[in-house]
Amino acid sequence: MAEFFFTSCPSVCPLVAPQMEELHRIFQDVQDFAMVSFTLDSEWDTHERLFDFAEEKAVNHSNWVFLTGSQHSIYSLASEGYYVAAYKDTTKSEDNIMHDGILVLVDQNGHIRGMYDGKERNSIEKIEMAVKQLRIN
């Protein structure tokens, strides 16, 4: 499961976080399931800040990792690799990071198997069913 977020997000991320935490709780002991959260704000979200954020969420680091990189690389990965919106809107007086809160289910071969609205609570059940189906096949 992949997501694009940032720790200081005032809008989308607080709506997605409970779903990610629930997925983590459900799948934390499943050996072949992993979660990756890519920060869209690598200037603010240092390694230390991401570690503290994960600790605050009581994350088991064996199956949920938080990654950073250059903003250009992360934005390209989001849009070209995972087909989700992620860009800086510089049309306003201050930069805004635009993103959509989509959770992307990727199989062990790197193929996208589903995209889910992370802001919606009912996405959890859909993701659970999809993961179970992938694990059967």
Side-chain angles (χ1 to χ4, degrees):
M1 182 64 52
E3 75 155 336
F4 292 84
F5 86 115
F6 57 106
T7 62
S8 61
C9 175
S11 58
V12 173
C13 299
L15 300 174
V16 176
Q19 278 63 258
M20 288 296 286
E21 291 173 38
E22 180 67 8
L23 288 171
H24 175 62
R25 187 192 64 72
I26 292 168
F27 293 110
Q28 68 183 344
D29 295 324
V30 176
Q31 298 268 332
D32 58 354
F33 183 84
M35 297 169 49
V36 180
S37 295
F38 297 95
T39 182
L40 294 168
D41 188 359
S42 57
E43 292 176 18
W44 174 257
D45 287 338
T46 62
H47 293 285
E48 295 80 12
R49 190 161 278 125
L50 290 173
F51 183 82
D52 291 344
F53 183 81
E55 290 296 304
E56 184 180 298
K57 302 290 182 191
V59 167
N60 168 354
H61 298 283
S62 67
N63 79 336
W64 188 359
V65 295
F66 293 80
L67 300 176
T68 188
S70 75
Q71 284 191 336
H72 175 75
S73 295
I74 297 293
Y75 287 13
S76 293
L77 179 65
S79 62
E80 297 168 21
Y82 290 92
Y83 307 106
V84 298
Y87 61 93
K88 270 201 171 185
D89 178 4
T90 57
T91 62
K92 300 184 173 140
S93 60
E94 62 181 55
D95 288 350
N96 291 315
I97 298 173
M98 306 304 292
H99 60 304
D100 51 18
I102 297 296
L103 304 180
V104 183
L105 181 61
V106 180
D107 70 16
Q108 62 191 10
N109 297 314
H111 299 116
I112 293 175
R113 300 305 290 261
M115 299 177 85
Y116 306 89
D117 187 344
K119 300 177 299 296
E120 299 293 327
R121 174 72 181 119
N122 68 355
S123 292
I124 298 295
E125 294 82 25
K126 294 175 185 176
I127 293 168
E128 276 188 278
M129 288 179 7
V131 169
K132 286 178 185 175
Q133 187 63 38
L134 280 175
R135 295 186 78 227
I136 290 170
N137 293 334

